[in-house]
């Protein structure tokens, strides 16, 4: 029996290189080794974007198509949309009954997001309660592992605590998931901060060649390297950081030529842009093929919902029985 892994993505916008070298590559590796449940977390998208849902369906569709184009395989993994499985919401309701509010209030992301997303009114029941929904996502499929970054460990611990509390009241049943620490690479955006839609510094998988080149040319490098023959400091250069991902066999050479002043930033950026564009060729071709088959998207989600519901309905039946509401 393969161990089970669950991970999901909020459909809140287009995917960029940060996503690709972060979770998406991890998901590709995971699907070869584990029984994977990959879900589009559209209910989670509502926790911050409940007031404007006009793009939700489009973002969901595009995310599924991008996943398939990247190589996630519905024959190997269960790919589903959260809202197609209402049993998850039912489990979240039961778990919310036994989750102390203090556990949710101490969630560091909750406090951080309240500060960061000041323009949105997110002091809502749905937002403070999203870790309970997350717990329902994970516990409903009895996931053995959840891929997380170090910063998400407190969330997973909360899921484990909720599972323990349920098991304490109603008898051992829910499985405490373990963390699978992600080896995701840090991808700098054009301004050097972590690539993110909210910083407007991202290169998107859908950007055309000219846009990619333009964005790379705008990247911040070593501000002290003004003329071509000024020696540069690759260790503080964002272009160099991306070369580590896109030109692993050339990193030493680039470093040497940059330090000696033999390599200019314009030439180097053009080279990087070419590498990024070339790396997206297969993705673009697959995306075109997938988009040209209008029924594929519906088929993948319909099939995924059936498979996910089979597992999750069984979980719910046992949960109801244990709580004497069957
Ligand atoms: S030559 Fe390349 S690595 Fe060196 S500072 Fe310029 S962009 Fe960065």
């Amino acid at each position: 029996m393969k161990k089970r892994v669950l991970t999901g993505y909020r459909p809140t916008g287009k995917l960029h290189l940060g996503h690709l070298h972060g979770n998406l590559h991890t998901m590709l590796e995971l699907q070869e080794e584990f029984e994977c449940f990959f879900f589009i977390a559209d209910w989670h998208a509502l926790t911050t974007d409940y007031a404007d849902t006009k793009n939700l369906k489009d973002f969901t569709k595009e995310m599924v198509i991008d996943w398939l184009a990247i190589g996630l395989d519905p024959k190997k993994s269960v790919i589903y949309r959260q809202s197609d499985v209402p049993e998850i919401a039912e489990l979240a309701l039961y778990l919310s009954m036994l989750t102390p509010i203090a556990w949710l209030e101490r969630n560091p992301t909750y406090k951080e997001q309240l500060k960061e997303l000041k323009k949105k009114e997110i002091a809502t029941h749905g937002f403070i309660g999203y870790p309970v929904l997350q717990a329902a996502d994970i516990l409903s499929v009895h996931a053995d592992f959840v891929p997380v970054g170090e910063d998400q460990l407190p969330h997973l611990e909360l899921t484990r605590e909720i599972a323990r509390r349920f098991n304490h009241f109603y008898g051992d049943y829910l499985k405490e998931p373990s963390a699978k620490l992600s080896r995701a690479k840090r991808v700098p955006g054009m301004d050097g901060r972590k690539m993110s839609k909210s910083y407007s510094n991202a290169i998107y998988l859908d950007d055309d060649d000219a846009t990619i080149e333009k964005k790379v040319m705008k990247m911040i490098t070593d501000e002290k390297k003004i003329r071509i023959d000024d020696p540069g400091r690759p260790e503080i250069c964002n272009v160099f950081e991306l070369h580590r991902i896109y030109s692993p066999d050339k990193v030493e050479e680039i470093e040497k030529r940059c330090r000696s002043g033999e390599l200019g930033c314009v030439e180097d950026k053009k080279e990087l842009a070419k590498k990024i564009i070339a790396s997206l060729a297969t993705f673009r071709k697959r995306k075109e093929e997938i988009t040209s088959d209008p029924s594929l998207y519906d088929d993948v989600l319909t099939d995924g919902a059936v498979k996910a519901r089979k597992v999750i309905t069984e979980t719910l039946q046992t949960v109801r029985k244990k709580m004497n509401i069957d």
Side-chain angles (χ1 to χ4, degrees):
M1 286 278 283
K2 283 183 174 178
K3 295 274 186 192
R4 202 171 270 175
V5 169
L6 172 128
T7 190
Y9 250 90
R10 292 179 352 127
T12 53
K14 286 176 173 294
L15 295 176
H16 54 65
L17 299 185
H19 295 124
L20 184 64
H21 299 289
N23 274 2
L24 294 174
H25 276 177
T26 308
M27 286 158 84
L28 282 176
E29 285 169 19
L30 290 172
Q31 77 172 353
E32 301 305 325
E33 196 184 337
F34 297 100
E35 183 190 6
C36 292
F37 283 69
F38 296 141
F39 71 104
I40 305 285
D42 55 348
W43 283 335
H44 282 285
L46 295 178
T47 57
T48 51
D49 294 347
Y50 60 86
D52 181 4
T53 57
K54 63 177 178 302
N55 292 320
L56 190 55
K57 276 188 188 168
D58 288 344
F59 285 157
T60 298
K61 185 169 184 173
E62 186 141 1
M63 189 164 280
V64 174
I65 291 172
D66 283 354
W67 279 7
L68 300 176
I70 284 158
L72 293 184
D73 184 350
K75 290 197 189 87
K76 292 179 182 166
S77 304
V78 183
I79 295 176
Y80 60 106
R81 176 172 52 185
Q82 190 182 30
S83 60
D84 284 335
V85 188
E87 290 79 8
I88 299 170
E90 187 181 337
L91 181 60
L93 175 79
Y94 300 148
L95 298 179
S96 74
M97 299 297 170
L98 55 99
T99 304
I101 289 175
W103 289 8
L104 302 174
E105 283 173 336
R106 73 173 187 225
N107 168 12
T109 312
Y110 174 65
K111 294 180 197 157
E112 231 175 76
Q113 296 278 75
L114 278 185
K115 274 192 224 150
E116 267 186 34
L117 302 178
K118 273 193 190 128
K119 285 186 195 151
K120 292 182 182 173
E121 208 180 302
I122 54 166
T124 58
H125 180 199
F127 187 63
I128 195 172
Y130 83 83
V132 179
L133 181 56
Q134 226 167 37
D137 295 322
I138 299 167
L139 301 175
S140 64
V141 301
H142 307 285
D144 295 286
F145 296 110
V146 180
V148 287
E150 298 247 3
D151 55 329
Q152 293 155 331
L153 283 172
H155 291 144
L156 192 63
E157 191 46 41
L158 186 53
T159 294
R160 291 163 54 85
E161 280 176 317
I162 292 173
R164 280 201 288 275
R165 196 161 158 89
F166 178 95
N167 293 343
H168 169 74
F169 290 134
Y170 312 112
D172 268 359
Y173 177 57
L174 295 179
K175 185 184 275 181
E176 286 184 43
S178 300
K180 190 151 191 43
L181 271 182
S182 143
R183 287 178 286 120
K185 296 187 176 100
R186 181 189 180 272
V187 180
M190 289 179 290
D191 56 0
R193 288 185 291 177
K194 186 180 164 193
M195 192 174 282
S196 161
K197 182 186 77 162
S198 31
Y199 297 148
S200 306
N201 66 359
I203 298 174
Y204 292 96
L205 304 189
D206 269 344
D207 281 344
D208 58 30
D209 295 0
T211 309
I212 293 177
E213 189 170 325
K214 210 161 124 196
K215 288 183 174 177
V216 173
M217 295 315 281
K218 274 194 197 159
M219 285 195 86
I220 294 174
T221 61
D222 174 1
E223 85 281 4
K224 288 198 174 154
K225 186 167 163 61
I226 298 161
R227 287 182 308 231
I228 293 179
D229 53 357
D230 286 338
R233 295 171 294 170
E235 67 277 11
I236 59 158
C237 173
N238 300 307
V239 172
F240 187 72
E241 205 172 333
L242 281 181
H243 272 307
R244 289 189 192 281
I245 298 173
Y246 286 96
S247 328
D249 51 332
K250 292 263 168 73
V251 166
E252 275 179 34
E253 186 192 325
I254 295 166
E255 183 172 7
K256 215 166 123 196
R257 292 182 65 219
C258 169
R259 287 194 196 286
S260 68
E262 192 189 328
L263 179 65
C265 293
V266 173
E267 180 193 341
D268 196 22
K269 284 176 169 179
K270 281 190 177 161
E271 204 44 49
L272 175 65
K274 267 193 225 157
K275 289 268 169 69
I276 295 175
I277 291 165
S279 76
L280 291 172
T282 315
F283 164 79
R284 286 174 176 175
K285 193 166 167 282
R286 277 203 206 130
K287 185 161 180 173
E288 227 176 274
E289 287 162 9
I290 293 163
T291 316
S292 68
D293 179 351
S295 62
L296 189 68
Y297 165 75
D298 288 331
D299 292 349
V300 167
L301 283 194
T302 306
D303 186 48
V306 170
K307 288 179 186 160
R309 285 191 86 174
K310 186 172 181 297
V311 173
I312 294 168
T313 304
E314 273 175 30
T315 307
L316 249 294
Q317 277 166 358
T318 308
V319 165
R320 288 187 200 120
K321 205 165 176 180
K322 285 196 165 277
M323 296 181 81
N324 290 313
I325 41 178
D326 56 322

